[in-house]
Amino acid sequence: MRWPLIIRLLVLALLIAFLVSPESFAFLLRPLIKNGQPAIYDRGSLWSLTLSHLAITFAATTMATIVALSLAILVTRPFGAEFLPLSRSLANIGQTFPPVAVLALAVPILGFGNAPTLMALFLYGLLPIFENSLTGLTTVPPAITMAARGMGMTGMQRLTRVELPLALPVILGGVRLSTVISLATATIGSTVAARTLGEIIIAGLAASNTAFVMQGGLIVTALAVLIYDGLSALERFFVACTRT
């Protein structure tokens, strides 16, 4: 077993242990507090906040993946090539408007809570997935698609059996990037009453409690690293599959 894997497993074990029994780690955070402040966030369950944070992140990424991949497939078909500029403009919307601005615009329509945060993360995550999907689908070797056509495959069969499997590693790269961006950005959702780990950070900033800020930031960082590594491993697996 390689050392990097051991380290990642140790980080995962420590993260789970902290979320399940945070009071066991209070002694590490007490040097950061003052005036009798609590060392561990005590206004909600860390485990519950983490699950809610992950649920919002993965829901937004799933929605962004479906829409972005569908757009990429559309514009790489002969009948949809003319929609490429429009599709790219749509995918760029989230990058044009910062998530905070999207939240400000969405709250009057969707109200407070998870919905505006989900909308902001969805829009923000479109571009990486769209661009990677477009790159993956347009770089499939023409000889392979010609061979598939020569075997009598229909357009749908070529897409599902040849193009998408070959493009999958590149598409996953976009999904990985979008997921990590959404995971970090989701913390701002707590400003509009979404249940995310940003709640801990905001509470810490409001009360000048460095321990709260530290634990919220560390949980998000650990999740980002673990998810990034997990999706990278999945990407490498599919790259290996395409070469065999």
Side-chain angles (χ1 to χ4, degrees), residues 94-123:
Q95 305 295 325
T96 303
F97 297 98
V100 174
V102 176
L103 286 176
L105 294 172
V107 165
I109 301 171
L110 301 175
F112 288 90
N114 292 341
T117 303
L118 193 60
M119 176 61 69
L121 296 183
F122 162 71
L123 293 175

PDB file of all heavy atoms in Angstrom, residues 94-123:
ATOM      1  N   GLY A  94     -22.821  31.312 -15.443  1.00  0.00           N
ATOM      2  CA  GLY A  94     -22.405  31.172 -14.049  1.00  0.00           C
ATOM      3  C   GLY A  94     -21.076  31.836 -13.754  1.00  0.00           C
ATOM      4  O   GLY A  94     -20.826  32.288 -12.637  1.00  0.00           O
ATOM      5  N   GLN A  95     -20.180  31.884 -14.759  1.00  0.00           N
ATOM      6  CA  GLN A  95     -18.883  32.522 -14.557  1.00  0.00           C
ATOM      7  C   GLN A  95     -18.982  34.034 -14.724  1.00  0.00           C
ATOM      8  O   GLN A  95     -18.150  34.775 -14.200  1.00  0.00           O
ATOM      9  CB  GLN A  95     -17.864  31.954 -15.559  1.00  0.00           C
ATOM     10  CG  GLN A  95     -17.735  30.440 -15.536  1.00  0.00           C
ATOM     11  CD  GLN A  95     -17.189  29.920 -14.233  1.00  0.00           C
ATOM     12  OE1 GLN A  95     -16.351  30.557 -13.611  1.00  0.00           O
ATOM     13  NE2 GLN A  95     -17.655  28.758 -13.800  1.00  0.00           N
ATOM     14  N   THR A  96     -19.991  34.484 -15.462  1.00  0.00           N
ATOM     15  CA  THR A  96     -20.182  35.918 -15.664  1.00  0.00           C
ATOM     16  C   THR A  96     -20.686  36.585 -14.395  1.00  0.00           C
ATOM     17  O   THR A  96     -20.226  37.669 -14.018  1.00  0.00           O
ATOM     18  CB  THR A  96     -21.184  36.175 -16.804  1.00  0.00           C
ATOM     19  OG1 THR A  96     -20.719  35.535 -17.993  1.00  0.00           O
ATOM     20  CG2 THR A  96     -21.346  37.663 -17.068  1.00  0.00           C
ATOM     21  N   PHE A  97     -21.642  35.925 -13.729  1.00  0.00           N
ATOM     22  CA  PHE A  97     -22.198  36.448 -12.482  1.00  0.00           C
ATOM     23  C   PHE A  97     -21.619  35.664 -11.311  1.00  0.00           C
ATOM     24  O   PHE A  97     -21.763  34.442 -11.271  1.00  0.00           O
ATOM     25  CB  PHE A  97     -23.722  36.325 -12.468  1.00  0.00           C
ATOM     26  CG  PHE A  97     -24.408  37.129 -13.537  1.00  0.00           C
ATOM     27  CD1 PHE A  97     -24.805  36.525 -14.726  1.00  0.00           C
ATOM     28  CD2 PHE A  97     -24.649  38.474 -13.361  1.00  0.00           C
ATOM     29  CE1 PHE A  97     -25.424  37.259 -15.715  1.00  0.00           C
ATOM     30  CE2 PHE A  97     -25.281  39.216 -14.344  1.00  0.00           C
ATOM     31  CZ  PHE A  97     -25.660  38.617 -15.532  1.00  0.00           C
ATOM     32  N   PRO A  98     -20.984  36.328 -10.358  1.00  0.00           N
ATOM     33  CA  PRO A  98     -20.466  35.617  -9.175  1.00  0.00           C
ATOM     34  C   PRO A  98     -21.607  34.949  -8.415  1.00  0.00           C
ATOM     35  O   PRO A  98     -22.758  35.403  -8.485  1.00  0.00           O
ATOM     36  CB  PRO A  98     -19.849  36.747  -8.334  1.00  0.00           C
ATOM     37  CG  PRO A  98     -19.650  37.874  -9.279  1.00  0.00           C
ATOM     38  CD  PRO A  98     -20.720  37.768 -10.315  1.00  0.00           C
ATOM     39  N   PRO A  99     -21.319  33.843  -7.704  1.00  0.00           N
ATOM     40  CA  PRO A  99     -22.375  33.153  -6.944  1.00  0.00           C
ATOM     41  C   PRO A  99     -23.124  34.067  -5.991  1.00  0.00           C
ATOM     42  O   PRO A  99     -24.329  33.911  -5.790  1.00  0.00           O
ATOM     43  CB  PRO A  99     -21.588  32.069  -6.191  1.00  0.00           C
ATOM     44  CG  PRO A  99     -20.384  31.825  -7.019  1.00  0.00           C
ATOM     45  CD  PRO A  99     -20.034  33.145  -7.632  1.00  0.00           C
ATOM     46  N   VAL A 100     -22.418  35.040  -5.398  1.00  0.00           N
ATOM     47  CA  VAL A 100     -23.084  35.956  -4.474  1.00  0.00           C
ATOM     48  C   VAL A 100     -24.158  36.756  -5.203  1.00  0.00           C
ATOM     49  O   VAL A 100     -25.257  36.978  -4.681  1.00  0.00           O
ATOM     50  CB  VAL A 100     -22.056  36.905  -3.821  1.00  0.00           C
ATOM     51  CG1 VAL A 100     -22.761  37.953  -2.973  1.00  0.00           C
ATOM     52  CG2 VAL A 100     -21.064  36.117  -2.968  1.00  0.00           C
ATOM     53  N   ALA A 101     -23.849  37.172  -6.438  1.00  0.00           N
ATOM     54  CA  ALA A 101     -24.822  37.931  -7.223  1.00  0.00           C
ATOM     55  C   ALA A 101     -26.014  37.052  -7.596  1.00  0.00           C
ATOM     56  O   ALA A 101     -27.164  37.505  -7.570  1.00  0.00           O
ATOM     57  CB  ALA A 101     -24.160  38.483  -8.484  1.00  0.00           C
ATOM     58  N   VAL A 102     -25.739  35.792  -7.949  1.00  0.00           N
ATOM     59  CA  VAL A 102     -26.835  34.867  -8.278  1.00  0.00           C
ATOM     60  C   VAL A 102     -27.728  34.660  -7.068  1.00  0.00           C
ATOM     61  O   VAL A 102     -28.960  34.633  -7.178  1.00  0.00           O
ATOM     62  CB  VAL A 102     -26.274  33.516  -8.781  1.00  0.00           C
ATOM     63  CG1 VAL A 102     -27.418  32.531  -9.031  1.00  0.00           C
ATOM     64  CG2 VAL A 102     -25.460  33.719 -10.046  1.00  0.00           C
ATOM     65  N   LEU A 103     -27.122  34.528  -5.898  1.00  0.00           N
ATOM     66  CA  LEU A 103     -27.901  34.373  -4.664  1.00  0.00           C
ATOM     67  C   LEU A 103     -28.795  35.589  -4.434  1.00  0.00           C
ATOM     68  O   LEU A 103     -29.975  35.456  -4.101  1.00  0.00           O
ATOM     69  CB  LEU A 103     -26.975  34.185  -3.464  1.00  0.00           C
ATOM     70  CG  LEU A 103     -26.270  32.837  -3.319  1.00  0.00           C
ATOM     71  CD1 LEU A 103     -25.323  32.870  -2.131  1.00  0.00           C
ATOM     72  CD2 LEU A 103     -27.276  31.711  -3.154  1.00  0.00           C
ATOM     73  N   ALA A 104     -28.222  36.768  -4.633  1.00  0.00           N
ATOM     74  CA  ALA A 104     -28.987  37.993  -4.416  1.00  0.00           C
ATOM     75  C   ALA A 104     -30.171  38.092  -5.367  1.00  0.00           C
ATOM     76  O   ALA A 104     -31.249  38.570  -4.994  1.00  0.00           O
ATOM     77  CB  ALA A 104     -28.073  39.205  -4.588  1.00  0.00           C
ATOM     78  N   LEU A 105     -29.993  37.618  -6.593  1.00  0.00           N
ATOM     79  CA  LEU A 105     -31.076  37.664  -7.575  1.00  0.00           C
ATOM     80  C   LEU A 105     -32.090  36.544  -7.366  1.00  0.00           C
ATOM     81  O   LEU A 105     -33.276  36.702  -7.669  1.00  0.00           O
ATOM     82  CB  LEU A 105     -30.501  37.564  -8.991  1.00  0.00           C
ATOM     83  CG  LEU A 105     -29.623  38.734  -9.457  1.00  0.00           C
ATOM     84  CD1 LEU A 105     -28.962  38.402 -10.791  1.00  0.00           C
ATOM     85  CD2 LEU A 105     -30.469  39.997  -9.594  1.00  0.00           C
ATOM     86  N   ALA A 106     -31.607  35.402  -6.845  1.00  0.00           N
ATOM     87  CA  ALA A 106     -32.479  34.238  -6.709  1.00  0.00           C
ATOM     88  C   ALA A 106     -33.355  34.283  -5.465  1.00  0.00           C
ATOM     89  O   ALA A 106     -34.466  33.750  -5.471  1.00  0.00           O
ATOM     90  CB  ALA A 106     -31.637  32.960  -6.689  1.00  0.00           C
ATOM     91  N   VAL A 107     -32.874  34.919  -4.395  1.00  0.00           N
ATOM     92  CA  VAL A 107     -33.634  34.932  -3.138  1.00  0.00           C
ATOM     93  C   VAL A 107     -35.029  35.540  -3.295  1.00  0.00           C
ATOM     94  O   VAL A 107     -36.005  34.969  -2.786  1.00  0.00           O
ATOM     95  CB  VAL A 107     -32.835  35.654  -2.030  1.00  0.00           C
ATOM     96  CG1 VAL A 107     -33.725  35.995  -0.841  1.00  0.00           C
ATOM     97  CG2 VAL A 107     -31.682  34.771  -1.569  1.00  0.00           C
ATOM     98  N   PRO A 108     -35.188  36.686  -3.984  1.00  0.00           N
ATOM     99  CA  PRO A 108     -36.547  37.227  -4.135  1.00  0.00           C
ATOM    100  C   PRO A 108     -37.498  36.293  -4.874  1.00  0.00           C
ATOM    101  O   PRO A 108     -38.710  36.348  -4.677  1.00  0.00           O
ATOM    102  CB  PRO A 108     -36.317  38.517  -4.935  1.00  0.00           C
ATOM    103  CG  PRO A 108     -34.907  38.892  -4.658  1.00  0.00           C
ATOM    104  CD  PRO A 108     -34.180  37.591  -4.540  1.00  0.00           C
ATOM    105  N   ILE A 109     -36.942  35.415  -5.729  1.00  0.00           N
ATOM    106  CA  ILE A 109     -37.778  34.500  -6.516  1.00  0.00           C
ATOM    107  C   ILE A 109     -37.978  33.171  -5.801  1.00  0.00           C
ATOM    108  O   ILE A 109     -39.102  32.655  -5.713  1.00  0.00           O
ATOM    109  CB  ILE A 109     -37.133  34.256  -7.895  1.00  0.00           C
ATOM    110  CG1 ILE A 109     -36.962  35.573  -8.648  1.00  0.00           C
ATOM    111  CG2 ILE A 109     -37.972  33.277  -8.716  1.00  0.00           C
ATOM    112  CD1 ILE A 109     -36.148  35.450  -9.918  1.00  0.00           C
ATOM    113  N   LEU A 110     -36.890  32.608  -5.287  1.00  0.00           N
ATOM    114  CA  LEU A 110     -36.927  31.263  -4.696  1.00  0.00           C
ATOM    115  C   LEU A 110     -37.037  31.271  -3.183  1.00  0.00           C
ATOM    116  O   LEU A 110     -37.287  30.232  -2.577  1.00  0.00           O
ATOM    117  CB  LEU A 110     -35.667  30.487  -5.113  1.00  0.00           C
ATOM    118  CG  LEU A 110     -35.446  30.310  -6.617  1.00  0.00           C
ATOM    119  CD1 LEU A 110     -34.108  29.647  -6.884  1.00  0.00           C
ATOM    120  CD2 LEU A 110     -36.580  29.498  -7.239  1.00  0.00           C
ATOM    121  N   GLY A 111     -36.818  32.442  -2.567  1.00  0.00           N
ATOM    122  CA  GLY A 111     -36.863  32.516  -1.117  1.00  0.00           C
ATOM    123  C   GLY A 111     -35.544  32.086  -0.500  1.00  0.00           C
ATOM    124  O   GLY A 111     -34.595  31.715  -1.193  1.00  0.00           O
ATOM    125  N   PHE A 112     -35.488  32.125   0.817  1.00  0.00           N
ATOM    126  CA  PHE A 112     -34.285  31.713   1.536  1.00  0.00           C
ATOM    127  C   PHE A 112     -34.225  30.187   1.638  1.00  0.00           C
ATOM    128  O   PHE A 112     -35.235  29.497   1.501  1.00  0.00           O
ATOM    129  CB  PHE A 112     -34.261  32.331   2.936  1.00  0.00           C
ATOM    130  CG  PHE A 112     -33.988  33.809   2.936  1.00  0.00           C
ATOM    131  CD1 PHE A 112     -35.032  34.714   2.868  1.00  0.00           C
ATOM    132  CD2 PHE A 112     -32.690  34.284   2.983  1.00  0.00           C
ATOM    133  CE1 PHE A 112     -34.784  36.084   2.861  1.00  0.00           C
ATOM    134  CE2 PHE A 112     -32.425  35.648   2.976  1.00  0.00           C
ATOM    135  CZ  PHE A 112     -33.480  36.548   2.912  1.00  0.00           C
ATOM    136  N   GLY A 113     -33.013  29.672   1.877  1.00  0.00           N
ATOM    137  CA  GLY A 113     -32.855  28.233   2.041  1.00  0.00           C
ATOM    138  C   GLY A 113     -31.926  27.636   0.997  1.00  0.00           C
ATOM    139  O   GLY A 113     -31.064  28.314   0.441  1.00  0.00           O
ATOM    140  N   ASN A 114     -32.124  26.362   0.716  1.00  0.00           N
ATOM    141  CA  ASN A 114     -31.224  25.640  -0.180  1.00  0.00           C
ATOM    142  C   ASN A 114     -31.427  25.970  -1.651  1.00  0.00           C
ATOM    143  O   ASN A 114     -30.484  25.861  -2.445  1.00  0.00           O
ATOM    144  CB  ASN A 114     -31.402  24.129   0.011  1.00  0.00           C
ATOM    145  CG  ASN A 114     -30.911  23.649   1.365  1.00  0.00           C
ATOM    146  OD1 ASN A 114     -30.137  24.324   2.033  1.00  0.00           O
ATOM    147  ND2 ASN A 114     -31.369  22.482   1.780  1.00  0.00           N
ATOM    148  N   ALA A 115     -32.637  26.358  -2.037  1.00  0.00           N
ATOM    149  CA  ALA A 115     -32.959  26.542  -3.458  1.00  0.00           C
ATOM    150  C   ALA A 115     -32.066  27.567  -4.150  1.00  0.00           C
ATOM    151  O   ALA A 115     -31.501  27.278  -5.214  1.00  0.00           O
ATOM    152  CB  ALA A 115     -34.434  26.898  -3.620  1.00  0.00           C
ATOM    153  N   PRO A 116     -31.905  28.792  -3.619  1.00  0.00           N
ATOM    154  CA  PRO A 116     -31.027  29.746  -4.311  1.00  0.00           C
ATOM    155  C   PRO A 116     -29.573  29.291  -4.353  1.00  0.00           C
ATOM    156  O   PRO A 116     -28.861  29.560  -5.327  1.00  0.00           O
ATOM    157  CB  PRO A 116     -31.188  31.039  -3.500  1.00  0.00           C
ATOM    158  CG  PRO A 116     -31.733  30.621  -2.186  1.00  0.00           C
ATOM    159  CD  PRO A 116     -32.549  29.409  -2.438  1.00  0.00           C
ATOM    160  N   THR A 117     -29.126  28.598  -3.314  1.00  0.00           N
ATOM    161  CA  THR A 117     -27.755  28.076  -3.302  1.00  0.00           C
ATOM    162  C   THR A 117     -27.584  27.018  -4.385  1.00  0.00           C
ATOM    163  O   THR A 117     -26.581  26.994  -5.110  1.00  0.00           O
ATOM    164  CB  THR A 117     -27.426  27.457  -1.928  1.00  0.00           C
ATOM    165  OG1 THR A 117     -27.633  28.435  -0.920  1.00  0.00           O
ATOM    166  CG2 THR A 117     -25.990  26.967  -1.882  1.00  0.00           C
ATOM    167  N   LEU A 118     -28.571  26.150  -4.517  1.00  0.00           N
ATOM    168  CA  LEU A 118     -28.543  25.121  -5.553  1.00  0.00           C
ATOM    169  C   LEU A 118     -28.484  25.753  -6.939  1.00  0.00           C
ATOM    170  O   LEU A 118     -27.728  25.306  -7.812  1.00  0.00           O
ATOM    171  CB  LEU A 118     -29.787  24.238  -5.418  1.00  0.00           C
ATOM    172  CG  LEU A 118     -29.821  22.927  -6.198  1.00  0.00           C
ATOM    173  CD1 LEU A 118     -28.682  22.016  -5.784  1.00  0.00           C
ATOM    174  CD2 LEU A 118     -31.158  22.233  -5.983  1.00  0.00           C
ATOM    175  N   MET A 119     -29.255  26.800  -7.153  1.00  0.00           N
ATOM    176  CA  MET A 119     -29.253  27.490  -8.440  1.00  0.00           C
ATOM    177  C   MET A 119     -27.891  28.109  -8.732  1.00  0.00           C
ATOM    178  O   MET A 119     -27.360  27.992  -9.844  1.00  0.00           O
ATOM    179  CB  MET A 119     -30.331  28.582  -8.434  1.00  0.00           C
ATOM    180  CG  MET A 119     -30.359  29.428  -9.707  1.00  0.00           C
ATOM    181  SD  MET A 119     -30.705  28.446 -11.195  1.00  0.00           S
ATOM    182  CE  MET A 119     -32.424  27.998 -10.885  1.00  0.00           C
ATOM    183  N   ALA A 120     -27.301  28.766  -7.728  1.00  0.00           N
ATOM    184  CA  ALA A 120     -25.993  29.402  -7.916  1.00  0.00           C
ATOM    185  C   ALA A 120     -24.914  28.371  -8.245  1.00  0.00           C
ATOM    186  O   ALA A 120     -24.094  28.573  -9.154  1.00  0.00           O
ATOM    187  CB  ALA A 120     -25.611  30.188  -6.669  1.00  0.00           C
ATOM    188  N   LEU A 121     -24.909  27.265  -7.522  1.00  0.00           N
ATOM    189  CA  LEU A 121     -23.897  26.232  -7.755  1.00  0.00           C
ATOM    190  C   LEU A 121     -24.103  25.557  -9.107  1.00  0.00           C
ATOM    191  O   LEU A 121     -23.127  25.220  -9.795  1.00  0.00           O
ATOM    192  CB  LEU A 121     -23.952  25.185  -6.637  1.00  0.00           C
ATOM    193  CG  LEU A 121     -23.621  25.670  -5.226  1.00  0.00           C
ATOM    194  CD1 LEU A 121     -23.653  24.500  -4.247  1.00  0.00           C
ATOM    195  CD2 LEU A 121     -22.264  26.351  -5.183  1.00  0.00           C
ATOM    196  N   PHE A 122     -25.350  25.350  -9.483  1.00  0.00           N
ATOM    197  CA  PHE A 122     -25.653  24.762 -10.792  1.00  0.00           C
ATOM    198  C   PHE A 122     -25.093  25.625 -11.919  1.00  0.00           C
ATOM    199  O   PHE A 122     -24.395  25.131 -12.820  1.00  0.00           O
ATOM    200  CB  PHE A 122     -27.169  24.601 -10.934  1.00  0.00           C
ATOM    201  CG  PHE A 122     -27.633  24.425 -12.349  1.00  0.00           C
ATOM    202  CD1 PHE A 122     -27.384  23.248 -13.043  1.00  0.00           C
ATOM    203  CD2 PHE A 122     -28.323  25.441 -13.002  1.00  0.00           C
ATOM    204  CE1 PHE A 122     -27.805  23.083 -14.357  1.00  0.00           C
ATOM    205  CE2 PHE A 122     -28.755  25.292 -14.305  1.00  0.00           C
ATOM    206  CZ  PHE A 122     -28.490  24.112 -14.990  1.00  0.00           C
ATOM    207  N   LEU A 123     -25.373  26.914 -11.877  1.00  0.00           N
ATOM    208  CA  LEU A 123     -24.890  27.818 -12.920  1.00  0.00           C
ATOM    209  C   LEU A 123     -23.362  27.909 -12.912  1.00  0.00           C
ATOM    210  O   LEU A 123     -22.719  27.951 -13.967  1.00  0.00           O
ATOM    211  CB  LEU A 123     -25.498  29.209 -12.740  1.00  0.00           C
ATOM    212  CG  LEU A 123     -27.009  29.321 -12.979  1.00  0.00           C
ATOM    213  CD1 LEU A 123     -27.500  30.718 -12.647  1.00  0.00           C
ATOM    214  CD2 LEU A 123     -27.356  28.971 -14.427  1.00  0.00           C
TER     215      LEU A 123
END
